[in-house]
Amino acid sequence: MIRFFEKFGIPRVLLLGFLDVAIFMTGDGFELTFLSKVMVDQGFSSSQASLLVTVYGLFAALGGWCAGVLAEMFGARRIMMFGACWWIGIHLLFLGVAIPSGLYPLILGLYALRGIGYPLFIYSFVVLMAQYISPARLASATGFFWTCFSLGIGVFGAYLPSFIMPVFGEYKTFWFALPFSIVGTIMCFFFVPKNKVVKSQGLSRKEQLAELAEGATILVTNRKVLICAIIRIINNLLLYGFPVIMPLYLCTTHNGGINIFKTEEWMRIWGFVFVVTLIFNTFWGWFMDRFGWVWPMRWFGCAVLAVGSVAFYYIPQWFGANALMMIVASIIVGIGTCAFSSLPTIMTLYAGEGKQGAALSAYNLAAGLTTFAGPGVATILLPVIGYGGVCWTYAALYVLAFVLTLFIRPRQPGFDEHGHRIAKAKNGTAPQDDAVPAVNTVSEESIGVGVAAAEAV
């Protein structure tokens, strides 16, 4: 079994770390599919429920932006432990104090603060991957990393609560997240190795702050990186927006909801999105390396997700409580969500030599901002245009991303300037283009600042 994982470039020393990511993210994703409904059931408005997840996403973006640089400077395991302990401590206050109090500002503040924890945990582990795994195998290993992430936050994080909630109720189900996060923290302490290199040893405090800030300033100085970051934000709008609005639309009559599914039925339907990503996280990375980086993102990512955005709204209108048709819509969303796996590589190439780390920090920032933007769109527009209007807005944003992909034309190794594959020479190898930097020439230190090549979710 260990040899099987080693074929993907995963060394034994990190194997339990990948398992740790899946376990910890199971705890983090426990409430994702039903928190908004709980808030509405307690008497809060749909906008307040959506704002809760929106602000959470903003703080998660902050954690994601800082994680890679902090892990390189002070040690990945140390930052992972800090993030995990922060998450557990704030979660206890959220459940033990904020929820029972019924005070919205307290609920909002503590839940937002909890959002810092999980990005520090998972993105710090990516630094270890960059230091322990050769660049030639890092893309495959990163695909496996995101498979573990999806397995935790989406599969177990959605399906386990759907079986626990009917027995224990919604509030008690929140508490079942703690055993997973605690086990993940303990595993981190005993089984996650230390950094091979700690960068803070050679940098002044001013240089450390400059390293951190560059992940944001590159968005101002490099237009191509900015375009890629905008596409990345749009990429996961449904992944974080639908868990906010769909439980209200499908499981309540609030704000025009149709109330045709039980909450646990919705959770199992949405879980299929992540079941699909277990396969397509890796598939799209393999496919794009062989057939092109941009056109699959344009057609199988942006176009497919535009269809998936409105399908979730209209399928219940047309077919009623048809779980099978809703599962088909979930599969569509899952396939499309994964079709952006070339974005980190494109951003590092556009950043240029010596700026790859900044590009990947910007990528992390965009990945975090999508957890803010998805529910943020719902927060602003739901009271004005309803569920259907929000779904059409998501679709329009994916059309915008489709257009933006027309402005990125990276020189992919093995392809000409028009994106056509270069014919192989007689010896079976493609001619080398000296103007095109190989993907795997990105330094380990640079990759460690952010997420490497095969992220989709």
Side-chain angles (χ1 to χ4, degrees):
M1 180 64 72
I2 293 177
R3 289 183 178 179
F4 171 79
F5 290 107
E6 288 178 336
K7 291 181 180 179
F8 287 91
I10 301 170
R12 298 187 184 195
V13 70
L14 292 183
L15 193 56
L16 289 176
F18 283 91
L19 177 62
D20 192 17
V21 168
I23 292 173
F24 187 86
M25 291 311 299
T26 298
D28 181 78
F30 235 66
E31 81 281 345
L32 184 63
T33 53
F34 67 96
L35 177 62
S36 61
K37 181 177 181 298
V38 171
M39 293 294 293
V40 169
D41 289 344
Q42 288 194 355
F44 298 106
S45 69
S46 57
S47 294
Q48 287 176 309
S50 180
L51 179 63
L52 187 67
V53 185
T54 301
V55 177
Y56 179 87
L58 184 61
F59 278 72
L62 176 63
W65 176 41
C66 297
V69 175
L70 292 176
E72 283 196 322
M73 291 182 176
F74 305 108
R77 188 173 70 177
R78 181 179 299 174
I79 301 302
M80 288 177 71
M81 290 294 299
F82 176 83
C85 292
W86 177 276
W87 192 98
I88 292 170
I90 300 298
H91 190 68
L92 286 170
L93 291 174
F94 177 70
L95 296 184
V97 179
I99 292 292
S101 75
L103 298 174
Y104 184 76
L106 183 60
I107 295 172
L108 179 66
L110 285 175
Y111 193 65
L113 288 174
R114 204 197 79 179
I116 297 174
Y118 91 83
L120 293 178
F121 188 88
I122 65 167
Y123 292 138
S124 295
F125 183 73
V126 175
V127 172
L128 292 178
M129 291 169 54
Q131 293 190 0
Y132 280 87
I133 299 172
S134 69
R137 309 300 297 275
L138 190 57
S140 297
T142 307
F144 182 68
F145 168 83
W146 287 109
T147 296
C148 293
F149 174 89
S150 296
L151 186 65
I153 195 172
V155 179
F156 291 131
Y159 283 110
L160 289 179
S162 74
F163 295 106
I164 294 171
M165 187 187 301
V167 179
F168 293 95
E170 292 170 336
Y171 175 69
K172 290 182 179 179
T173 300
F174 284 132
W175 289 90
F176 280 86
L178 280 169
F180 294 96
S181 57
I182 291 172
V183 170
T185 306
I186 294 171
M187 287 185 64
C188 176
F189 182 79
F190 285 105
F191 301 118
V192 172
K194 294 182 179 180
N195 286 41
K196 286 184 175 181
V197 178
V198 179
K199 288 182 65 175
S200 62
Q201 296 173 352
L203 297 178
S204 67
R205 182 58 55 89
K206 183 178 180 180
E207 289 171 329
Q208 292 172 5
L209 292 175
E211 185 90 10
L212 183 62
E214 196 172 23
T217 58
I218 195 173
L219 296 174
V220 179
T221 60
N222 191 313
R223 185 171 64 92
K224 295 290 189 180
V225 172
L226 175 61
I227 291 173
C228 291
I230 294 172
I231 295 171
R232 179 63 185 90
I233 292 171
I234 296 173
N235 170 196
N236 277 359
L237 287 178
L238 299 189
L239 210 62
Y240 294 99
F242 271 7
V244 175
I245 66 170
M246 283 300 151
L248 306 180
Y249 172 56
L250 298 174
C251 308
T252 75
T253 56
H254 189 80
N255 208 45
I258 56 179
N259 194 26
I260 60 174
F261 288 107
K262 295 180 180 178
T263 305
E264 55 268 27
E265 291 174 330
W266 144 250
M267 293 162 71
R268 292 164 193 165
I269 288 169
W270 187 244
F272 271 89
V273 171
F274 292 92
V275 172
V276 170
T277 64
L278 298 182
I279 300 171
F280 279 89
N281 267 332
T282 303
F283 169 78
W284 281 124
W286 170 86
F287 186 90
M288 288 178 170
D289 279 342
R290 286 156 181 78
F291 301 104
W293 283 342
V294 178
W295 72 265
M297 185 194 317
R298 182 180 303 139
W299 292 103
F300 292 100
C302 302
V304 166
L305 287 174
V307 173
S309 300
V310 293
F312 259 85
Y313 178 75
Y314 286 107
I315 284 176
Q317 300 277 351
W318 296 338
F319 299 96
N322 190 321
L324 182 60
M325 290 299 297
M326 293 298 291
I327 289 171
V328 170
S330 294
I331 292 172
I332 290 172
V333 170
I335 292 172
T337 298
C338 296
F340 294 78
S341 59
S342 60
L343 270 178
T345 303
I346 295 172
M347 290 175 74
T348 59
L349 293 180
Y350 276 137
E353 188 64 30
K355 297 284 187 179
Q356 293 95 340
L360 289 169
S361 277
Y363 177 84
N364 273 358
L365 179 61
L369 284 174
T370 193
T371 67
F372 164 76
V377 169
T379 300
I380 296 170
L381 297 180
L382 186 58
V384 181
I385 57 178
Y387 299 108
V390 172
C391 290
W392 275 104
T393 301
Y394 286 141
L397 288 169
Y398 283 111
V399 173
L400 171 62
F402 182 99
V403 174
L404 289 176
T405 62
L406 300 174
F407 295 92
I408 54 174
R409 300 181 181 89
R411 294 293 301 276
Q412 181 175 352
F415 291 75
D416 63 23
E417 63 273 13
H418 301 294
H420 301 136
R421 177 177 285 279
I422 299 172
K424 289 186 177 182
K426 291 182 179 180
N427 60 4
T429 61
Q432 295 298 311
D433 186 347
D434 294 335
V436 182
V439 175
N440 289 328
T441 60
V442 177
S443 67
E444 295 185 8
E445 289 81 4
S446 298
I447 295 173
V449 177
V451 181
E455 194 271 342
V457 176

